[in-house]
Amino acid sequence: MNGFDYQKDAENIVTISMDLPGQPVNTINKAFIDGLEATLQRLERDEVAGVILTSGKDSFLAGGDLKEISALSADTLPAFAATLQRLKSCLRRLETLDKPVVAAINSTALGGGYELCLACHHRIALRDDKSRIGLPEVSLGLLPGGGGIVRLVRLLGLEKALPLLMEGTRLSPDRALEAGLIEELAADRETLLSRARAWIRDNPSPRQPWDEKGYRIPGGTPAHPKVAQMLMAAPAMLRKKTRGLLPAPEAILAAASEGALVDFAAAQRIESSYFLQLVLTPEAKNQIRFFFQLNGITGGSSRPEGFAKTSVNRLGILGAGMMGAGIAYVAAKVGIEVVLLDRTRQQAEKGKAYSAQVLDRQLSKGRITREQKDDLLERIQPTTEMNDFAGCDLLIEAVFEDRELKGRLTGEAEKNLAEGAFVASNTSTLPITELAQAVRRPENFIGLHFFSPVDKMPLVEIICGQKTSPQTLAKAFDFVQQLRKTPIVVNDSLGFFTSRVFSTFLDEGAALLEEGVDPLLIDNLARLAGMPVGPLTVMDEVSQQLLVKVRKANRELLQERGEVLEENATDRVLAVLTGSHGREGKAYNGGFYDYPREGRKTIWAELYTLFRKPEVEISRRDIQDRILFRQALEAVRCLEEGVLRSVADGNVGSIFGIGFPAHTGGQLQFINSCGLQRFVARARQLEQLYGERFAPPALLLEKAANHELFI
Ligand code: NAI
């Protein structure tokens, strides 16, 4: 029946299996609501002992139709609001049927999918590591508008529900049980259904806790002194985290706390009203577009077609330093055998010890068992012998950033690899095309740029050299996905995509300092614009010493090609710092900041004498725009020059790799969101005031003239 299969057994227990025709996953759209309404009518008429809700598809139920939501405008909002109201009434009818309703969650139930579960009296999930349960709407710039806020707050109390709602945590079934999102786990599908039946038999006429007489929200309403105290601090804490850039968590906080003061029906209206405000915000539209682009990438949009999926069984890593050790850990974690080589036994062992440290932390938190730890460590073989690379189907080089050294070692290591193996470098700056000359078959050579710390950063930038074959790219893409990371694919160019754009962020910081702006203001305004840390702080962390080395290496490289690397603000500012002042970075003598052994860092006072010009007045808006526009313009140049192969790669790379603010949807979507013509006009203004680096590139002008977007 309309995608809601209705089966009644001898005990009058009805199993409803959602399987909407023509859709790969069940989503909440008009057809869904029609089907649910019809099913409710039948249930209300029928003689029923209880209801089991499950799904006939691989996933339980996805949330609302995001395509529809992202296309909403002020004109279409009233009709959408009416549909939302219909959904809410259906869910209310379901939980007030006077018959037990059990959600048999056979796989992932996120967003609207979990909101449906919340309107059931009991929730049992299939124990499956791949399933996720929760209300992640906040990550799309939205809130759970199908009663999710109202019910979760009433189920768990504000203190427990708020973090789940505001962070959009997706929990495995095990963790969902711990958090109180579900009540039971089942080992297999049969048990899932038999447990659901048993619960129905034991609870012939359950009511939702919030429909019981004398019900109180666990922990109390905002009128309770303890809750009031928490809510008093919450907005300030949230602001500190989001810097006021994300409307969704603010709306969630408001909807949850206001809704907790009133009755269920009024709380539902409050939730809807905040939801309808959010759906039209640019932040929601940006984040939804980002979600689609990320899905496209995960689905293989930048993987060459026509090559069978591959996986790496044995991985060789050259260099067991910070990056090599991190890569070894993430590979061993997904079951790959790792050979980790360094110059001395001690260094190789130290690389392996990194995994042991990470695992110990997880063990102490009860996230893994001792057996799991031992198994993972067993897979990492530290060595100093190239012969041990025998049988490896991939070699990743992660030694010092030195062309000669990298070339020599990869050439030597390659001889030992398995037939058909491919070779990658984790270089952050050296051209892949040139490094590829060191191996016998440059078509098998590729760049795999990991980010630090490897186990936390979700992105890997895959760099194709001039000779890299599509087959090698396909293998590299599969490997990154095997590590459960997100691959973006770019072409070879100085700094590739992420390092190149990131360096413009740092350079704009240096330029502002050079012009006389207060250094603290530079870092603070960058953060207020949404960057995770200010450019001066970043330079201290990376170290001025390393930045100078990279610039020098790049200059020499271009010189060899007969090109010139123009001096920029970074060069000039770093020359002052590292010159007679010896400010080489946080790890050395301090950089833009002093790092006292105890207490917080403080700005290096001498900076004010060296650079600060109190007469200089650059508006805060200009400073923030310079920081964001500079990066977005560089991303356009990367697209124009073919360094970026797609807009999606640029947006995903800028958020996951560079830390560009998430609410913008990425550097290229940021331009769409400003409006191309407005962006061009503002870039021209900045160009006039601050220099030609803000000149809009031809591709941008062309798109603006044709009223096209970056998609
Ligand atoms: P690191 O200095 O921590 O590690 C390099 C390792 O290579 C050391 O353990 C060293 O003993 C080993 N090594 C040097 N010569 C060797 C030889 N002849 N035989 C065997 N091993 C040798 O450096 P890190 O940070 O791990 O960087 C490695 C590579 O990754 C570099 O190319 C770097 O540019 C790149 N990278 C670094 C990132 C970072 O955040 N540190 C991020 C992305 C890439």
Side-chain angles (χ1 to χ4, degrees):
M1 184 218 278
N2 301 336
F4 284 73
D5 183 56
Y6 190 107
Q7 300 289 340
K8 190 156 85 166
D9 67 11
E11 289 178 85
N12 283 347
I13 295 177
V14 175
T15 302
I16 291 166
S17 186
M18 299 174 288
D19 193 353
L20 274 91
Q23 300 184 17
V25 286
N26 296 316
T27 45
I28 301 180
N29 51 17
K30 187 171 171 301
F32 177 89
I33 300 173
D34 287 346
L36 182 60
E37 231 168 30
T39 307
L40 282 162
Q41 269 164 18
R42 185 163 170 193
L43 285 170
E44 284 156 355
R45 281 197 314 262
D46 206 354
E47 196 176 316
V48 171
V51 183
I52 302 172
L53 253 180
T54 190
S55 156
K57 296 212 197 271
D58 285 346
S59 73
F60 181 77
L61 167 65
D65 184 343
L66 289 174
K67 282 225 163 68
E68 184 192 344
I69 293 177
S70 66
L72 285 172
S73 66
D75 291 342
T76 50
L77 198 65
F80 177 78
T83 312
L84 179 68
Q85 189 44 48
R86 260 181 82 205
L87 173 69
K88 280 186 138 127
S89 323
C90 284
L91 297 182
R92 191 69 188 133
R93 269 164 78 187
L94 186 70
E95 68 183 355
T96 52
L97 258 185
D98 257 355
K99 299 284 178 288
V101 183
V102 179
I105 312 169
N106 55 309
S107 56
T108 290
L110 290 170
Y114 179 65
E115 290 186 290
L116 176 67
C117 302
L118 276 172
C120 298
H121 301 110
H122 192 68
R123 288 155 286 271
I124 313 174
L126 195 62
R127 185 178 247 142
D128 177 355
D129 256 2
K130 286 195 215 92
S131 291
R132 288 294 175 268
I133 294 171
L135 296 171
E137 283 85 345
V138 69
S139 62
L140 298 169
L142 301 172
L143 59 75
I149 294 186
V150 178
R151 290 193 179 86
L152 198 70
V153 165
R154 280 163 174 73
L155 184 71
L156 302 180
L158 280 162
E159 202 172 357
K160 284 194 184 144
L162 275 174
L164 293 167
L165 290 163
M166 286 163 68
E167 285 155 33
T169 327
R170 298 155 192 249
L171 301 166
S172 65
D174 276 296
R175 296 203 42 218
L177 180 72
E178 275 167 39
L181 265 68
I182 57 169
E183 285 76 33
E184 270 189 71
L185 281 172
D188 51 54
R189 210 182 150 91
E190 216 168 278
T191 322
L192 179 71
L193 296 176
S194 65
R195 280 300 312 146
R197 273 196 196 91
W199 195 86
I200 288 171
R201 274 181 224 119
D202 295 346
N203 299 273
S205 50
R207 290 158 73 96
Q208 293 287 37
W210 43 90
D211 289 325
E212 295 286 0
K213 224 174 154 219
Y215 163 79
R216 295 219 168 138
I217 292 182
T221 71
H224 188 284
K226 205 174 141 224
V227 179
Q229 201 177 17
M230 173 195 73
L231 289 178
M232 206 133 65
M237 277 162 62
L238 180 64
R239 277 245 145 189
K240 193 167 168 222
K241 219 162 118 190
T242 68
R243 290 152 249 163
L245 296 167
L246 302 178
E250 287 184 20
I252 290 173
L253 179 58
S257 24
E258 289 168 28
L261 284 166
V262 293
D263 65 28
F264 191 89
Q268 293 248 66
R269 285 196 295 276
I270 291 174
E271 180 192 274
S272 291
S273 125
Y274 279 108
F275 180 66
L276 293 170
Q277 285 172 37
L278 283 181
V279 288
L280 291 186
T281 58
E283 289 83 357
K285 295 200 186 279
N286 291 341
Q287 286 179 270
I288 294 172
R289 177 163 293 178
F290 182 82
F291 173 81
F292 283 127
Q293 289 179 333
L294 183 60
N295 273 354
I297 287 181
T298 313
S301 59
S302 32
R303 182 188 187 276
E305 280 174 23
F307 300 97
K309 205 161 173 70
T310 57
S311 59
V312 168
N313 295 314
R314 189 171 159 88
L315 166 71
I317 303 177
L318 258 177
M322 189 167 91
M323 297 306 288
I327 299 168
Y329 169 71
V330 294
K333 194 172 158 198
V334 298
I336 299 175
E337 298 290 328
V338 179
V339 181
L340 185 59
L341 180 142
D342 211 298
R343 285 176 294 187
T344 64
R345 183 89 210 160
Q346 200 191 3
Q347 277 165 312
E349 293 279 3
K350 192 173 160 220
K352 175 170 175 171
Y354 170 77
S355 288
Q357 281 165 20
V358 177
L359 292 165
D360 279 338
R361 276 200 297 274
Q362 291 173 12
L363 193 64
S364 68
K365 286 186 196 148
R367 296 266 158 83
I368 53 163
T369 61
R370 184 161 291 280
E371 238 182 2
Q372 282 170 314
K373 176 190 158 191
D374 294 345
D375 280 354
L376 193 152
L377 287 178
E378 186 92 343
R379 285 196 282 275
I380 305 178
Q381 178 194 349
T383 187
T384 55
E385 297 299 323
M386 292 268 189
N387 290 341
D388 288 332
F389 286 143
C392 286
D393 28 30
L394 166 63
L395 175 83
I396 299 181
E397 169 280 306
V399 296
F400 300 139
E401 193 75 339
D402 175 325
R403 270 194 286 172
E404 194 277 324
L405 178 74
K406 282 180 186 291
R408 185 160 50 77
L409 293 178
T410 39
E412 203 181 317
E414 188 200 13
K415 295 180 199 139
N416 300 284
L417 304 179
E419 190 56 37
F422 69 112
V423 181
S425 173
N426 178 47
T427 177
S428 44
T429 56
L430 299 170
I432 295 304
T433 306
E434 283 170 40
L435 290 175
Q437 289 166 4
V439 297
R440 269 174 301 161
R441 285 194 285 270
E443 65 274 19
N444 292 352
F445 193 88
I446 198 159
L448 281 177
H449 180 202
F450 286 82
F451 295 77
S452 171
V454 181
D455 56 318
K456 299 242 163 63
M457 297 291 283
L459 190 78
V460 178
E461 185 176 25
I462 302 181
I463 304 115
C464 294
Q466 265 164 24
K467 295 203 173 144
T468 305
S469 71
Q471 185 173 22
T472 302
L473 170 57
K475 283 186 191 169
F477 193 96
D478 294 344
F479 170 66
V480 173
Q481 290 203 314
Q482 191 182 350
L483 298 182
R484 303 201 188 116
K485 298 211 175 274
T486 302
I488 61 162
V489 181
V490 307
N491 286 329
D492 202 9
S493 130
L494 210 59
F496 320 131
F497 167 64
T498 53
S499 307
R500 172 167 161 181
V501 175
F502 195 61
S503 71
T504 62
F505 165 56
L506 304 188
D507 189 53
E508 209 44 44
L512 286 161
L513 184 70
E514 210 183 18
E515 285 167 45
V517 178
D518 186 326
L520 284 173
L521 197 64
I522 300 172
D523 267 2
N524 284 335
L525 287 178
R527 290 195 69 248
L528 285 176
M531 297 302 294
V533 265
L536 305 183
T537 301
V538 175
M539 287 195 253
D540 275 11
E541 298 278 343
V542 176
S543 92
Q544 280 74 3
Q545 190 188 75
L546 182 64
L547 288 167
V548 170
K549 267 196 205 153
V550 170
R551 290 290 294 172
K552 183 165 170 276
N554 285 351
R555 185 159 284 122
E556 287 167 3
L557 229 140
L558 286 185
Q559 224 163 20
E560 285 170 28
R561 298 183 190 164
E563 296 170 38
V564 181
L565 184 70
E566 299 282 347
E567 188 191 68
N568 63 10
T570 311
D571 293 321
R572 291 185 294 270
V573 167
L574 291 186
V576 175
L577 257 85
T578 57
S580 54
H581 297 284
R583 309 286 300 185
E584 305 247 313
K586 181 180 173 184
Y588 305 94
N589 202 18
F592 295 109
Y593 293 86
D594 280 322
Y595 298 88
R597 214 166 269 153
E598 272 168 35
R600 294 164 63 126
K601 68 177 184 188
T602 50
I603 198 80
W604 178 45
E606 190 69 16
L607 275 187
Y608 286 85
T609 327
L610 290 169
F611 296 105
R612 175 85 176 110
K613 299 186 190 99
E615 71 280 9
V616 168
E617 278 213 19
I618 300 183
S619 73
R620 290 176 175 224
R621 168 141 186 259
D622 277 12
I623 295 178
Q624 291 192 326
D625 278 358
R626 281 173 62 169
I627 285 165
L628 299 181
F629 273 59
R630 180 86 191 273
Q631 297 178 65
L633 286 162
E634 196 67 14
V636 175
R637 286 186 201 104
C638 287
L639 196 63
E640 192 172 59
E641 292 168 26
V643 175
L644 274 178
R645 298 171 159 209
S646 76
V647 169
D649 283 329
N651 283 330
V652 170
S654 59
I655 291 185
F656 284 180
I658 299 172
F660 202 71
H663 70 276
T664 62
Q667 284 155 352
L668 296 163
Q669 177 58 22
F670 170 65
I671 304 178
N672 290 344
S673 186
C674 288
L676 265 70
Q677 313 231 349
R678 268 185 56 214
F679 186 91
V680 166
R682 179 70 175 138
R684 287 229 159 95
Q685 246 175 16
L686 294 174
E687 179 191 2
Q688 250 179 10
L689 289 167
Y690 304 110
E692 65 183 34
R693 58 188 185 281
F694 291 103
L699 177 67
L700 174 60
L701 293 174
E702 191 188 304
K703 283 197 177 280
N706 295 336
H707 299 278
E708 285 171 10
L709 295 175
F710 287 100
I711 38 178

